[in-house]
Amino acid sequence: IKHRALGPGAGTRARAAVVMAQAEEADKSGRKDTALELAQSAAKLAPGFLPAALLQAEIYRDKGEKRRALKVLTSAWTRTPHAGIADAWRKTEDDLAPAERLRAAEKFAGPHRAHPEGRLLLARAALDGGEFTRARAELEQIGALGRRGLRLMAELDERQYGDQAGGHQWLERAAKAPPEVAWRCGQCGQS
C-alpha cells in the first residue's frame, strides 16, 4: 500500500488474509485466545471476511459462549448468506429440539429466507424435524438444485416415502451436477 503496489482496498484485504493465516496457525497450535484476537482483527480489516467469522464462531462455541458465536454468525449471514455459515449455525444450535431448531432457523434466515442458502437451511431444519412437506416446498422454491439440494432431495425421498430407488436417482443427479461455488486461493488452489 505504501509503495502503491496494491490499492488501499486490495492491500487491506491482503492484510486481512495474512492476519487470518496467523489466526489459523495459532488455532492449530492450541493458542485459542490468540487465534480469536487475530480472527477479530482480520474481521475488522475486512468486514464480511468469511474465514474470520467462521473461526470466531468456532472458538466461541468451543468455549461454551453460544450467544457470542450466534452473534458473529448472524452478522456474517446478514452480509452474505453462505453454506459455511449455515453449517456453523447448525453446529451451534445442535442442542435444540428439532421443532425449536426450525423456528430458530426461520429467525436466523431472516431477510435472506428466499435466497437459495436460506432455503437450504430451512429445508435441512424441516427435514431434521420430520416436516417433509415443508422441506420439499423449500427445495422446490430454489429452482435449479445444486449438489447439496439434490442430496437433500435424496434424503427426503428416502425418509418420507422409504423410496431408496428415488433417492438413488437424486444422488446420481447430484454426482453429475456441477460443483458448488467455492472460494479457492489463486496462489495454492486450497479451498
Side-chain angles (χ1 to χ4, degrees):
I1 296 171
K2 185 177 179 181
H3 297 287
R4 296 193 176 121
L6 294 174
T12 301
R13 286 189 300 277
R15 185 178 299 154
V18 169
V19 171
M20 190 58 211
Q22 293 170 332
E24 289 171 344
E25 190 60 38
D27 185 49
K28 287 178 189 173
S29 66
R31 297 176 295 136
K32 299 290 185 184
D33 290 336
T34 301
L36 180 59
E37 288 174 17
L38 289 166
Q40 289 168 334
S41 295
K44 284 179 185 169
L45 286 168
F49 187 37
L50 183 62
L54 294 177
L55 183 58
Q56 287 178 73
E58 179 184 332
I59 292 171
Y60 282 135
R61 188 175 57 245
D62 291 347
K63 292 171 79 173
E65 297 181 33
K66 180 178 174 177
R67 287 176 62 132
R68 284 188 170 182
L70 290 173
K71 183 177 179 181
V72 169
L73 293 172
T74 301
S75 176
W77 179 268
T78 300
R79 288 180 183 279
T80 307
H82 187 278
I85 300 168
D87 289 341
W89 179 86
R90 278 194 307 280
K91 288 177 187 173
T92 305
E93 293 287 31
D94 71 346
D95 61 332
L96 296 178
E100 287 179 274
R101 192 174 313 118
L102 179 55
R103 283 192 299 276
E106 289 169 340
K107 182 179 177 187
F108 183 76
H112 298 297
R113 172 183 205 311
H115 187 281
E117 290 300 335
R119 294 213 183 270
L120 286 170
L121 173 73
L122 292 170
R124 173 85 264 169
L127 181 59
D128 290 345
E131 293 193 27
F132 304 129
T133 303
R134 168 79 186 273
R136 190 171 303 277
E138 293 292 348
L139 291 170
E140 288 172 350
Q141 290 295 315
I142 293 174
L145 292 173
R147 289 181 179 179
R148 289 178 295 125
L150 293 166
R151 286 188 202 114
L152 274 175
M153 285 297 269
E155 185 178 344
L156 180 58
D157 273 3
E158 289 179 12
R159 288 184 56 194
Q160 185 177 16
Y161 303 123
D163 184 3
Q164 292 191 355
H168 187 70
Q169 288 176 346
W170 286 110
L171 290 175
E172 284 177 359
R173 287 180 58 191
K176 294 175 186 173
E180 302 280 346
V181 176
W183 176 87
R184 187 169 303 278
C185 176
Q187 297 291 326
C188 69
Q190 182 178 0
S191 49

